[in-house]
Amino acid sequence: MFLIPILCVVAFAAGLIDAIAGGGGLLTVPALLVALPDARLALGTNKGQAVFGSGASLVAFARAGRVDKKRFGPTFLAALVGSILGARLVLALRPEALRPVVLVLLLGVATFFASRGLGRSKKTTEAAGEAPPPRRPLPIAERHPALVAVAIAFVIGGYDGFFGPGTGTFLITLYTTVFGDDLTRATANAKVANFASNLGAFGSFALAGRIDFRLALPMAAMQALGGFLGARVAVRGGERLIRAAVLAVTLALALRIAWQIASTG
């Protein structure tokens, strides 16, 4: 009776978190893994609601002129192909074999996500009167930008099709490190790959009948609302607090999944 309202609340929180700090999938994926017995159905349903949010974000960034047009095509196609292959791999695995794999990935991404908040934030650096360090692209990215963009998009797209949480964070980190993008530009370019990978996985899971649209559609609406509000929230220290909350909830849900595995084993 209360399943859909609870998942809608989770989706709203995920949208809010994604807009402020990234990592909304760290809430929606484990919540769906708890709610649905088949891990493939949980991952597919997550794509059923995530594709709408990433698509809307991409349109907004493109209209603002923040997307690199030279990288757009190669990035989109590579992420699309990678995600389809990743989703097909998930669909080929038995549900009982997939759940432990997902649990390990979930804990690994949560650890990575938490570690990103350990250093000084941009606000702290600016408050200290320090100029942000200049970012320069790696030499290989300067010589072969399209090829490097394809490699990144294909690998991360494959990961997104197979699992998903943390995809945006990984892309932004790589784009700032490899291409020297500033955070706004990196976030915009990340949306290209993220939407393409969500779209490829969405199509694969939908064709296989592994999306519960009864859950995906209301979650999509609430995540969009959370993202809309989160983009307008500016709370001092909010990012660190959000990251701590995401880590706590993720670990709690991961323990719940581990208990389910132990009980059925």
Side-chain angles (χ1 to χ4, degrees), residues 190-212:
K191 292 302 178 185
V192 176
N194 204 184
F195 173 63
S197 61
N198 277 331
L199 187 63
F202 171 80
S204 298
F205 283 115
L207 289 173
R210 295 296 177 180
I211 297 179
D212 188 338

Side-chain angles (χ1 to χ4, degrees), residues 16 20 123 229-242:
L16 192 70
I20 297 173
K123 285 185 178 180
L229 296 176
R232 287 155 179 76
V233 171
V235 180
R236 188 176 182 179
E239 181 172 338
R240 180 166 297 185
L241 177 63
I242 291 291

Side-chain angles (χ1 to χ4, degrees), residues 120-122 125-126 130-136 176 180-183:
R120 292 195 300 172
S121 66
K122 182 181 177 183
T125 302
E126 290 176 349
E130 302 174 14
R135 296 184 176 93
R136 291 188 57 83
T176 55
D181 292 347
D182 59 55
L183 286 175

Side-chain angles (χ1 to χ4, degrees), residues 96-191:
E96 58 270 23
L98 180 60
R99 191 170 282 264
V101 173
V102 168
L103 176 61
V104 172
L105 288 172
L106 180 64
L107 292 173
V109 174
T111 301
F112 173 83
F113 184 82
S115 70
R116 293 182 70 246
L118 295 178
R120 292 195 300 172
S121 66
K122 182 181 177 183
K123 285 185 178 180
T124 304
T125 302
E126 290 176 349
E130 302 174 14
R135 296 184 176 93
R136 291 188 57 83
L138 297 181
I140 189 172
E142 286 187 305
R143 294 193 299 267
H144 309 288
L147 183 61
V148 173
V150 165
I152 291 174
F154 181 78
V155 172
I156 302 300
Y159 164 79
D160 195 22
F162 185 86
F163 184 48
T167 295
T169 301
F170 296 149
L171 286 167
I172 291 169
T173 301
L174 286 168
Y175 287 158
T176 55
T177 303
V178 176
F179 287 103
D181 292 347
D182 59 55
L183 286 175
T184 302
R185 186 180 177 87
T187 301
N189 289 320
K191 292 302 178 185

